[in-house]
Amino acid sequence: NCLQMWSCKKNDVGVGASTMTYKDLKDRQMEINKDEVLRVNIFDACKIIVEGSRGLAGADNKAVTGSLIKRTDAFFVDYMLMGLNVHQNYLKVSQGQFNDAKKKGDSDLEVRSLEQMHDATLAMSDFGVCEEQLRGGDQNWALLPLCSVLAVKVGHHAGGPNGGFLPGYPEFAGWLGKNSSRGKKMRLLQELRHHMNYRVSADAPELRMTYIPIIRQQFESLLFDKEGAKVKESIDLMDEYGLDRDDVFENLDEFLLASAKDVNRFG
């Protein structure tokens, strides 16, 4: 990259440069590396943050300050998702610290590791509060630098004074998938409430906790009766509560909290 940029660069008097000194090369490298952290991907940036002040044992103040700035800049590689990725991975670093202390058999070191995990969790909670003010109704975007510092603070506590180690590749934020599943279940629950509204006077949480388990149990007892499936009684129950086939054979199983072998039994 340096050689390519040098070949295209003109000197101060407008004549094509034909020679290049070692100083020119170092100056150009310094210009390129200035924004190096902004060229990494979101996973590498997350690893930089959650591992904390790694490799700074015995370093001078300049190196410590440079590491802090680098981790703060890593947050802005993708500040929309970086907080979720830090939340997904920081406990793995803390767990590694605790496992190392446990292998050494040092109880004081184990307690210190748990205290660092506690501090990292508090910092993650503070980050959540700050980000809510940033993305919520007020949308106070002036808090974005504070969010970056709090994310770095999470990694600082998780990694400890000498920094930690994140085993493997950083995981992508699992909250996004969980939130999508939650939205799907809320939509299905509202559909069931709409179908049963003329028969059942309950809000969505009460319908989920009180009615759905009993109704599913009733359908299960009718369709899997020892003497054979009672189809007519099942249809009458469906008509009574305004349910259709998809409600009984697909949607009710979405709210089942049981072992995997019991899920989707109607299917």
Side-chain angles (χ1 to χ4, degrees), residues 171-194:
E171 291 184 5
F172 190 67
W175 179 87
L176 296 174
K178 296 295 184 181
N179 187 59
S180 177
S181 298
R182 177 181 178 273
K184 175 187 175 183
K185 292 183 185 296
M186 288 297 297
R187 177 179 56 80
L188 293 177
L189 186 59
Q190 291 296 338
E191 289 181 4
L192 286 172
R193 181 169 177 261
H194 177 72

Side-chain angles (χ1 to χ4, degrees), residues 93-103 110 113-114 117:
V93 179
S94 298
Q95 185 178 359
Q97 299 275 4
F98 178 77
N99 291 338
D100 291 341
K102 199 171 183 179
K103 289 179 181 178
E110 290 181 24
S113 299
L114 292 175
M117 186 183 300

Side-chain angles (χ1 to χ4, degrees), residues 5-20:
M5 296 299 294
W6 165 73
S7 64
C8 298
K9 187 178 179 181
K10 303 293 185 181
N11 59 16
D12 295 337
V13 297
V15 182
S18 59
T19 60
M20 181 178 184

Side-chain angles (χ1 to χ4, degrees), residues 24-229:
D24 295 334
L25 176 62
K26 298 300 291 185
D27 291 342
R28 185 57 189 165
Q29 282 183 331
M30 186 175 297
E31 293 178 8
I32 293 175
N33 293 333
K34 187 180 297 183
D35 297 327
E36 179 182 5
V37 70
L38 298 181
R39 298 197 302 272
V40 302
N41 60 47
I42 186 173
F43 299 102
D44 292 336
C46 176
K47 189 171 185 177
I48 292 173
I49 293 175
V50 298
E51 288 185 340
S53 53
R54 187 180 178 190
L56 294 178
D60 56 10
N61 291 333
K62 182 178 180 180
V64 173
T65 303
S67 174
L68 176 61
I69 295 174
K70 180 180 179 180
R71 283 176 283 149
T72 305
D73 290 342
F75 176 82
F76 292 97
V77 170
D78 191 341
Y79 61 84
M80 299 294 290
L81 293 175
M82 192 59 67
L84 293 174
N85 283 354
V86 170
H87 178 266
Q88 183 74 22
N89 293 280
Y90 81 96
L91 285 179
K92 295 179 182 179
V93 179
S94 298
Q95 185 178 359
Q97 299 275 4
F98 178 77
N99 291 338
D100 291 341
K102 199 171 183 179
K103 289 179 181 178
K104 296 177 181 178
D106 190 341
S107 58
D108 293 336
L109 192 58
E110 290 181 24
V111 173
R112 195 176 307 119
S113 299
L114 292 175
E115 290 175 348
Q116 292 173 1
M117 186 183 300
H118 173 261
D119 293 338
T121 305
L122 290 179
M124 194 74 248
S125 178
D126 292 340
F127 175 87
V129 174
C130 182
E131 192 176 43
E132 176 64 24
Q133 295 297 320
L134 187 148
R135 302 178 187 273
D138 294 338
Q139 291 191 346
N140 188 0
W141 287 93
L143 295 175
L144 189 59
L146 178 59
C147 286
S148 68
V149 174
L150 289 174
V152 171
K153 184 181 179 183
V154 173
H156 170 75
H157 290 306
N162 297 323
F165 175 72
L166 178 65
Y169 201 66
E171 291 184 5
F172 190 67
W175 179 87
L176 296 174
K178 296 295 184 181
N179 187 59
S180 177
S181 298
R182 177 181 178 273
K184 175 187 175 183
K185 292 183 185 296
M186 288 297 297
R187 177 179 56 80
L188 293 177
L189 186 59
Q190 291 296 338
E191 289 181 4
L192 286 172
R193 181 169 177 261
H194 177 72
H195 293 167
M196 301 170 64
N197 190 40
Y198 77 100
R199 183 67 177 177
V200 175
S201 59
D203 57 5
E206 186 177 2
L207 180 68
R208 166 65 186 88
M209 293 185 292
T210 306
Y211 286 90
I212 289 181
I214 297 176
I215 291 176
R216 188 186 184 280
Q217 186 178 6
Q218 289 295 320
F219 279 113
E220 186 175 354
S221 63
L222 291 173
L223 295 174
F224 297 96
D225 189 78
K226 294 180 179 179
E227 299 179 357

